[in-house]
Structure formats: structure tokens, C-alpha cells
Amino acid sequence: RESNYKFSYERMLSLNGNTAPYMLYSYARLCGIIRKASGQEDADSLEWPKPSSILISDDAELELMRTLIRLPDVLNEVEKELYPNRICDYLFETSQKFNKFYEKCSVNKAETPELKASRLSLCTATAGTIRLLMTLLGIDTVERL
């Protein structure tokens, strides 16, 4: 394949858009939410909370969940068609859906303990998805920036 892509450090290191720093920032933000919601603010390493039932109270939760459940299909497609860039596309989409969820749905100030636990589970699943995809791309994740 040929392309006329021009490499730019400024674009590649931006915290906005389809870049590794944007994905790392999303992952670190998720870890911060999980840390705070589970009372681990001072812990050196994050202990992942146990999953709970998922309650849908906002469209942003549903959109994030629908994106997360596509992971096996995306990985199968990448394996069959040998287009690893689709991992990047899915990773970016997942990060965007999480950021919309984050803007609309408070985890720590959820209306009920059950809703808080549900949103915490969505955050944990999203963090695990981002971590897996970053690992597949050969990019180490960090829990704090």
C-alpha cells in the first residue's frame, strides 16, 4: 500500500483525537474513577472491583455497553482480514463513548448505590478493554498520568 501520510510529532502526541496519548489519558481517567469510587485513592496499585449487575439509566451507558460487546467481533475481523488498524479505530471509538458516558453519568455521585456499582462495573469493563487493546498494539498502559 502507498499513502502520502506525513508524520507529525505534534499530531501523534496530542491529547485530542485518535492518538495513543488520548487513549492513555482515557485509561488513566478510568483508573482514577475506579480508585475514587472504590476507596483506593492512596493505593499504589489498583485492585479491580468485582462486577455488579448493569442498570441502564442513560443513553450514554447503553452506547458504551453496545460498543464494549463488539470486542470479540472486532478481534475476529482483525484476525480474518489482517487489518490491525481496525483495533485502533475500535479503541478510539471506545474511548470516545467512555468520554461521553463520563460527561453524562457520574459514578461517584450516582443516585443510588446500585447505580454507582453498575457504572463502576462499566468503567472496569471499559478499562479492561482499553488495556487489552493497548497491549495488543504493543503500548504499555499507566494507571496514573
Side-chain angles (χ1 to χ4, degrees), residues 88-105:
C88 300
D89 295 339
Y90 176 73
L91 180 56
F92 181 57
E93 180 185 355
T94 302
S95 295
Q96 285 184 311
K97 297 290 183 181
F98 161 70
N99 284 313
K100 284 182 185 176
F101 162 80
Y102 177 75
E103 288 172 15
K104 295 183 77 182
C105 303

mmCIF file of all heavy atoms in Angstrom, residues 88-105:
data_model
loop_
_atom_site.group_PDB
_atom_site.id
_atom_site.type_symbol
_atom_site.label_atom_id
_atom_site.label_comp_id
_atom_site.label_asym_id
_atom_site.label_seq_id
_atom_site.Cartn_x
_atom_site.Cartn_y
_atom_site.Cartn_z
ATOM 1 N N CYS A 88 -7.184 0.024 16.270
ATOM 2 C CA CYS A 88 -7.047 1.447 16.609
ATOM 3 C C CYS A 88 -8.383 2.169 16.477
ATOM 4 O O CYS A 88 -8.741 2.985 17.342
ATOM 5 C CB CYS A 88 -6.012 2.111 15.714
ATOM 6 S SG CYS A 88 -4.365 1.400 15.843
ATOM 7 N N ASP A 89 -9.120 1.869 15.412
ATOM 8 C CA ASP A 89 -10.422 2.515 15.207
ATOM 9 C C ASP A 89 -11.386 2.170 16.342
ATOM 10 O O ASP A 89 -12.075 3.041 16.878
ATOM 11 C CB ASP A 89 -11.031 2.090 13.868
ATOM 12 C CG ASP A 89 -10.225 2.564 12.676
ATOM 13 O OD1 ASP A 89 -9.435 3.520 12.814
ATOM 14 O OD2 ASP A 89 -10.381 1.959 11.591
ATOM 15 N N TYR A 90 -11.426 0.898 16.711
ATOM 16 C CA TYR A 90 -12.318 0.462 17.785
ATOM 17 C C TYR A 90 -11.883 1.047 19.127
ATOM 18 O O TYR A 90 -12.719 1.455 19.943
ATOM 19 C CB TYR A 90 -12.365 -1.068 17.835
ATOM 20 C CG TYR A 90 -13.189 -1.606 18.975
ATOM 21 C CD1 TYR A 90 -14.584 -1.541 18.954
ATOM 22 C CD2 TYR A 90 -12.574 -2.176 20.079
ATOM 23 C CE1 TYR A 90 -15.337 -2.027 20.003
ATOM 24 C CE2 TYR A 90 -13.323 -2.675 21.132
ATOM 25 C CZ TYR A 90 -14.700 -2.592 21.097
ATOM 26 O OH TYR A 90 -15.444 -3.067 22.137
ATOM 27 N N LEU A 91 -10.598 1.111 19.353
ATOM 28 C CA LEU A 91 -10.057 1.695 20.584
ATOM 29 C C LEU A 91 -10.457 3.164 20.698
ATOM 30 O O LEU A 91 -10.892 3.628 21.757
ATOM 31 C CB LEU A 91 -8.537 1.531 20.598
ATOM 32 C CG LEU A 91 -7.758 2.067 21.781
ATOM 33 C CD1 LEU A 91 -8.258 1.491 23.092
ATOM 34 C CD2 LEU A 91 -6.282 1.741 21.595
ATOM 35 N N PHE A 92 -10.338 3.896 19.612
ATOM 36 C CA PHE A 92 -10.722 5.306 19.594
ATOM 37 C C PHE A 92 -12.223 5.447 19.837
ATOM 38 O O PHE A 92 -12.653 6.282 20.638
ATOM 39 C CB PHE A 92 -10.315 5.938 18.264
ATOM 40 C CG PHE A 92 -10.644 7.398 18.145
ATOM 41 C CD1 PHE A 92 -10.158 8.319 19.068
ATOM 42 C CD2 PHE A 92 -11.433 7.861 17.116
ATOM 43 C CE1 PHE A 92 -10.456 9.672 18.958
ATOM 44 C CE2 PHE A 92 -11.746 9.210 16.994
ATOM 45 C CZ PHE A 92 -11.252 10.119 17.920
ATOM 46 N N GLU A 93 -13.011 4.619 19.169
ATOM 47 C CA GLU A 93 -14.468 4.669 19.361
ATOM 48 C C GLU A 93 -14.837 4.373 20.813
ATOM 49 O O GLU A 93 -15.685 5.058 21.406
ATOM 50 C CB GLU A 93 -15.152 3.661 18.436
ATOM 51 C CG GLU A 93 -16.644 3.632 18.569
ATOM 52 C CD GLU A 93 -17.319 2.546 17.742
ATOM 53 O OE1 GLU A 93 -16.635 1.845 16.961
ATOM 54 O OE2 GLU A 93 -18.543 2.390 17.888
ATOM 55 N N THR A 94 -14.191 3.375 21.405
ATOM 56 C CA THR A 94 -14.458 3.024 22.799
ATOM 57 C C THR A 94 -14.097 4.185 23.722
ATOM 58 O O THR A 94 -14.856 4.516 24.643
ATOM 59 C CB THR A 94 -13.671 1.751 23.190
ATOM 60 O OG1 THR A 94 -14.055 0.684 22.317
ATOM 61 C CG2 THR A 94 -13.929 1.347 24.627
ATOM 62 N N SER A 95 -12.970 4.813 23.478
ATOM 63 C CA SER A 95 -12.553 5.965 24.296
ATOM 64 C C SER A 95 -13.540 7.122 24.164
ATOM 65 O O SER A 95 -13.870 7.777 25.156
ATOM 66 C CB SER A 95 -11.152 6.420 23.898
ATOM 67 O OG SER A 95 -10.212 5.421 24.188
ATOM 68 N N GLN A 96 -14.017 7.359 22.954
ATOM 69 C CA GLN A 96 -14.997 8.423 22.748
ATOM 70 C C GLN A 96 -16.309 8.130 23.475
ATOM 71 O O GLN A 96 -16.885 9.006 24.113
ATOM 72 C CB GLN A 96 -15.277 8.608 21.264
ATOM 73 C CG GLN A 96 -14.171 9.304 20.518
ATOM 74 C CD GLN A 96 -14.558 9.540 19.071
ATOM 75 O OE1 GLN A 96 -15.021 8.632 18.390
ATOM 76 N NE2 GLN A 96 -14.368 10.755 18.617
ATOM 77 N N LYS A 97 -16.774 6.889 23.375
ATOM 78 C CA LYS A 97 -18.020 6.513 24.055
ATOM 79 C C LYS A 97 -17.863 6.630 25.565
ATOM 80 O O LYS A 97 -18.780 7.065 26.260
ATOM 81 C CB LYS A 97 -18.450 5.094 23.686
ATOM 82 C CG LYS A 97 -18.780 4.885 22.235
ATOM 83 C CD LYS A 97 -20.046 5.582 21.816
ATOM 84 C CE LYS A 97 -20.307 5.238 20.351
ATOM 85 N NZ LYS A 97 -21.478 5.870 19.833
ATOM 86 N N PHE A 98 -16.687 6.230 26.072
ATOM 87 C CA PHE A 98 -16.451 6.382 27.507
ATOM 88 C C PHE A 98 -16.489 7.858 27.906
ATOM 89 O O PHE A 98 -17.088 8.216 28.916
ATOM 90 C CB PHE A 98 -15.107 5.770 27.940
ATOM 91 C CG PHE A 98 -14.668 6.325 29.264
ATOM 92 C CD1 PHE A 98 -15.347 5.980 30.419
ATOM 93 C CD2 PHE A 98 -13.639 7.238 29.337
ATOM 94 C CE1 PHE A 98 -14.987 6.549 31.641
ATOM 95 C CE2 PHE A 98 -13.271 7.794 30.550
ATOM 96 C CZ PHE A 98 -13.947 7.447 31.701
ATOM 97 N N ASN A 99 -15.850 8.718 27.125
ATOM 98 C CA ASN A 99 -15.816 10.137 27.476
ATOM 99 C C ASN A 99 -17.214 10.756 27.457
ATOM 100 O O ASN A 99 -17.527 11.599 28.301
ATOM 101 C CB ASN A 99 -14.828 10.894 26.579
ATOM 102 C CG ASN A 99 -13.405 10.620 27.011
ATOM 103 O OD1 ASN A 99 -13.078 10.679 28.184
ATOM 104 N ND2 ASN A 99 -12.548 10.302 26.059
ATOM 105 N N LYS A 100 -18.076 10.321 26.542
ATOM 106 C CA LYS A 100 -19.476 10.775 26.554
ATOM 107 C C LYS A 100 -20.185 10.281 27.820
ATOM 108 O O LYS A 100 -20.928 11.013 28.466
ATOM 109 C CB LYS A 100 -20.215 10.283 25.316
ATOM 110 C CG LYS A 100 -19.874 11.049 24.069
ATOM 111 C CD LYS A 100 -20.687 10.545 22.893
ATOM 112 C CE LYS A 100 -20.242 11.231 21.616
ATOM 113 N NZ LYS A 100 -20.943 10.716 20.444
ATOM 114 N N PHE A 101 -19.958 9.009 28.137
ATOM 115 C CA PHE A 101 -20.519 8.427 29.361
ATOM 116 C C PHE A 101 -20.042 9.215 30.582
ATOM 117 O O PHE A 101 -20.836 9.575 31.453
ATOM 118 C CB PHE A 101 -20.096 6.952 29.446
ATOM 119 C CG PHE A 101 -20.219 6.335 30.809
ATOM 120 C CD1 PHE A 101 -21.446 5.886 31.289
ATOM 121 C CD2 PHE A 101 -19.097 6.177 31.615
ATOM 122 C CE1 PHE A 101 -21.543 5.306 32.543
ATOM 123 C CE2 PHE A 101 -19.185 5.593 32.860
ATOM 124 C CZ PHE A 101 -20.418 5.155 33.332
ATOM 125 N N TYR A 102 -18.764 9.521 30.635
ATOM 126 C CA TYR A 102 -18.175 10.240 31.756
ATOM 127 C C TYR A 102 -18.803 11.629 31.932
ATOM 128 O O TYR A 102 -19.045 12.071 33.050
ATOM 129 C CB TYR A 102 -16.662 10.354 31.538
ATOM 130 C CG TYR A 102 -15.929 11.145 32.596
ATOM 131 C CD1 TYR A 102 -15.689 10.604 33.848
ATOM 132 C CD2 TYR A 102 -15.470 12.432 32.326
ATOM 133 C CE1 TYR A 102 -15.016 11.322 34.816
ATOM 134 C CE2 TYR A 102 -14.790 13.157 33.289
ATOM 135 C CZ TYR A 102 -14.568 12.604 34.532
ATOM 136 O OH TYR A 102 -13.900 13.322 35.488
ATOM 137 N N GLU A 103 -19.073 12.299 30.824
ATOM 138 C CA GLU A 103 -19.673 13.631 30.873
ATOM 139 C C GLU A 103 -21.110 13.594 31.384
ATOM 140 O O GLU A 103 -21.555 14.505 32.079
ATOM 141 C CB GLU A 103 -19.675 14.268 29.480
ATOM 142 C CG GLU A 103 -18.316 14.692 28.996
ATOM 143 C CD GLU A 103 -18.321 15.143 27.539
ATOM 144 O OE1 GLU A 103 -19.429 15.388 26.986
ATOM 145 O OE2 GLU A 103 -17.236 15.232 26.959
ATOM 146 N N LYS A 104 -21.852 12.534 31.049
ATOM 147 C CA LYS A 104 -23.271 12.480 31.355
ATOM 148 C C LYS A 104 -23.632 11.693 32.616
ATOM 149 O O LYS A 104 -24.698 11.921 33.190
ATOM 150 C CB LYS A 104 -24.034 11.889 30.166
ATOM 151 C CG LYS A 104 -23.977 12.763 28.920
ATOM 152 C CD LYS A 104 -24.801 12.188 27.811
ATOM 153 C CE LYS A 104 -26.258 12.490 28.106
ATOM 154 N NZ LYS A 104 -27.162 11.932 27.092
ATOM 155 N N CYS A 105 -22.781 10.756 33.030
ATOM 156 C CA CYS A 105 -23.155 9.817 34.091
ATOM 157 C C CYS A 105 -22.105 9.798 35.200
ATOM 158 O O CYS A 105 -21.055 9.170 35.049
ATOM 159 C CB CYS A 105 -23.297 8.403 33.520
ATOM 160 S SG CYS A 105 -24.481 8.273 32.174
#
